[in-house]
Amino acid sequence: MSRSPGRRDHAKPPGPAEIVIREIGSDGDGIGEHPDGSRLYVPFTVPDELVRVRPMARRGDGWAAEADTVLEPGPERRRPVCLHFGTCGGCVSQHWDEAAYLAWKTGRLSAALLRAGYDNPAVAPIVRGAPFTRRRMDLAVRRVSGGVIAGLHRARGEEIVDITECSVLHPALFALIAPLRAVLTSLAALRHEASVVVNLLDSGPDLLLRADGGLITHDRRKLTDFAQAFGLPRVSWALDDSAPEAVCVLNPPVTSLSGITIAPPPGAFLQATREGEAAIIAAVIDGLPPKRTAKARAVELFAGCGTISFALAPLVRVTAIEGDEALVASCHNAINQAGLMGKIEIKRRDLARQPLLANEFSGVSAVILDPPHAGAAAQMPFIAQSRVPTVIYVSCDPVSLGRDAAVLRGAGYRLEKVTPIDQFPWSARLEAVAVFRVGR
């Protein structure tokens, strides 16, 4: 087998070395080169700094490494704002100058669209996310000697970092963590490990506990007392990955989406921040066909519980498609209660297994899709074949956006504008809303 020049095969990682960080990769890790020519990925570094590193394990075409010492800090290095930075896996770039960090995110988006065949993509100024605004909390929980730890996993590790501060979470959510630890310690349902998801609704924090044991009467009483003490409208529980059941409902668990009241299911997907949601909706509405009739139709794919659907309803008739039964039921109930029948129709369909075919887009003015992180590979060929005049793609990953955008490019779609939205500050994640038009 031939080997690339300057590269060696290793049965074990190469030895420690001093390297210069040349760039930041898609996961937020600094990238440099070992003296043997192999590529090294080093988290929590910035460009143009000299670091002493220890390669640890194979990663793609190189090695994941740890920085033992920053010998010469790069000019863009800054002091992190959180004491857990570098251990907690939630943030990757608090140590980096904000302007450089935002330029990196925008650059990743531009590069993905360039690879898709769009020359000089029209990238709007990035919408910056604010600290202390995240309204969804996902905690990993583990029983240990003397109590319970609750936090986030260490980056690329199984260890749970027991967080005592957070610059991302909304304060109303963070305030629940310490008393929640105390309650979880007393629960028989928590044998070894659990997860907790809390969505901050308009009516208060809505909590879903997924545990590895069954609830007993004592557990239900403890969780109900916790809900009463801290203003939770609902607490739900599930055994591992089973369907959730309500432990207590003290008030209607409701929130408003574009003025429409909806009761989302436990642990439902919502946009991470109110500000991010508003920026996404504004970019989607701005991308609608400028000339449309009162009977114009739009199809929304991966519609969730209606975040975008309700915003579109005053402007176009919407057919919303979603695969999750609980989300469809919540959206359907909200549509009925708001008197929007005829303006919004929601249907359940698994778009990965049963994508809409090209002829099902007949007469549609615009397709709006908000797929999961992996994108919409199964659906894109049929959208491209349909030649719907406008496609608005809401993305949470530049790589999958670029892959799916290439399908549209091959069918003659042009990219009119893309708006990056930094809804996840200090992370490697980036939201974007890309508007495509068919033809010139």
Side-chain angles (χ1 to χ4, degrees):
M1 179 182 297
S2 62
R3 298 179 180 176
S4 300
R7 290 286 307 275
R8 294 199 329 237
D9 292 333
H10 290 281
K12 62 180 181 179
E18 295 180 7
I19 67 168
V20 175
I21 302 299
R22 300 300 184 189
E23 60 180 321
I24 303 299
S26 60
D27 291 332
D29 294 341
I31 300 175
E33 187 175 288
H34 193 274
D36 74 354
S38 58
R39 199 172 175 90
L40 299 181
Y41 298 90
V42 191
F44 314 123
T45 55
V46 302
D48 301 320
E49 62 185 11
L50 179 66
V51 291
R52 181 179 293 116
V53 301
R54 288 183 298 116
M56 305 293 290
R58 266 293 182 193
R59 179 175 165 190
D61 62 349
W63 299 90
E66 289 186 355
D68 284 337
T69 308
V70 177
L71 301 171
E72 295 179 14
E76 295 170 351
R77 177 171 284 277
R78 300 292 182 267
R79 182 184 296 275
V81 298
C82 177
L83 67 85
H84 296 298
F85 180 72
T87 55
C88 166
C91 295
V92 300
S93 60
Q94 287 188 9
H95 63 305
W96 198 8
D97 173 75
E98 179 170 300
Y101 153 76
L102 294 176
W104 166 68
K105 283 200 165 180
T106 302
R108 288 181 56 217
L109 180 60
S110 296
L113 292 168
L114 283 168
R115 287 192 297 270
Y118 294 95
D119 296 333
N120 301 315
V123 181
I126 190 168
V127 179
R128 177 66 168 109
F132 305 109
T133 57
R134 183 172 171 86
R135 61 176 174 176
R136 179 183 175 92
M137 178 168 67
D138 293 80
L139 297 177
V141 179
R142 183 172 294 157
R143 189 176 290 283
V144 296
S145 177
V148 160
I149 55 174
L152 299 181
H153 285 103
R154 183 184 293 272
R156 302 184 187 91
E158 293 300 317
E159 178 187 353
I160 298 174
V161 178
D162 202 35
I163 59 174
T164 57
E165 68 174 67
C166 181
S167 301
V168 175
L169 280 177
H170 190 290
L173 292 182
F174 181 77
L176 295 176
I177 296 178
L180 184 59
R181 284 193 190 97
V183 171
L184 293 172
T185 300
S186 69
L187 298 187
L190 175 54
R191 296 175 179 173
H192 303 289
E193 295 191 345
S195 67
V196 174
V197 174
V198 188
N199 280 327
L200 184 57
L201 308 181
D202 292 349
S203 58
D206 181 33
L207 187 148
L208 169 61
L209 167 67
R210 290 191 177 276
D212 55 358
L215 283 184
I216 62 174
T217 301
H218 171 271
D219 294 345
R220 294 179 183 275
R221 185 170 60 251
K222 282 285 188 178
L223 289 170
T224 300
D225 291 345
F226 177 79
Q228 291 173 333
F230 293 96
L232 277 63
R234 175 176 64 186
V235 173
S236 305
W237 162 84
L239 179 62
D240 296 324
D241 294 328
S242 62
E245 65 174 71
V247 176
C248 63
V249 181
L250 305 183
N251 291 296
V254 295
T255 202
S256 175
L257 299 175
S258 296
I260 304 301
T261 298
I262 184 167
F269 169 81
L270 297 172
Q271 293 297 338
T273 68
R274 280 287 187 188
E275 296 79 5
E277 177 186 289
I280 289 169
I281 288 171
V284 168
I285 290 175
D286 183 62
L288 290 174
K291 295 180 180 180
R292 56 185 184 271
T293 68
K295 295 183 178 180
R297 288 182 56 223
V299 170
E300 184 192 357
L301 308 177
F302 310 96
C305 57
T307 299
I308 298 174
S309 308
F310 294 118
L312 292 173
L315 305 171
V316 291
R317 291 183 298 160
V318 182
T319 299
I321 311 294
E322 169 57 44
D324 184 278
E325 183 177 6
L327 292 175
V328 170
S330 293
C331 187
H332 182 76
N333 290 338
I335 290 168
N336 288 339
Q337 291 172 10
L340 290 174
M341 296 78 71
K343 292 294 291 181
I344 306 176
E345 179 185 20
I346 180 112
K347 299 179 179 180
R348 184 185 178 196
R349 185 159 167 174
D350 185 338
L351 294 170
R353 297 183 179 182
Q354 190 184 5
L356 267 68
L357 303 179
N359 62 1
E360 295 181 85
F361 295 105
S362 177
V364 171
S365 300
V367 171
I368 300 97
L369 65 158
D370 185 3
H373 189 271
Q379 182 63 73
M380 294 309 296
F382 300 106
I383 296 176
Q385 292 169 23
S386 76
R387 295 188 59 84
V388 170
T390 296
V391 176
I392 304 173
Y393 192 122
V394 182
S395 165
C396 61
D397 177 55
V399 174
S400 57
L401 170 61
R403 184 203 63 213
D404 291 347
V407 179
L408 296 177
R409 179 72 179 85
Y413 282 83
R414 60 182 173 82
L415 174 65
E416 184 171 276
K417 184 171 70 170
V418 59
T419 303
I421 301 167
D422 185 34
Q423 191 172 203
F424 302 93
W426 301 309
S427 79
R429 294 185 61 184
L430 178 65
E431 299 274 342
V433 178
V435 179
F436 302 89
R437 312 277 192 210
V438 74
R440 296 184 178 180

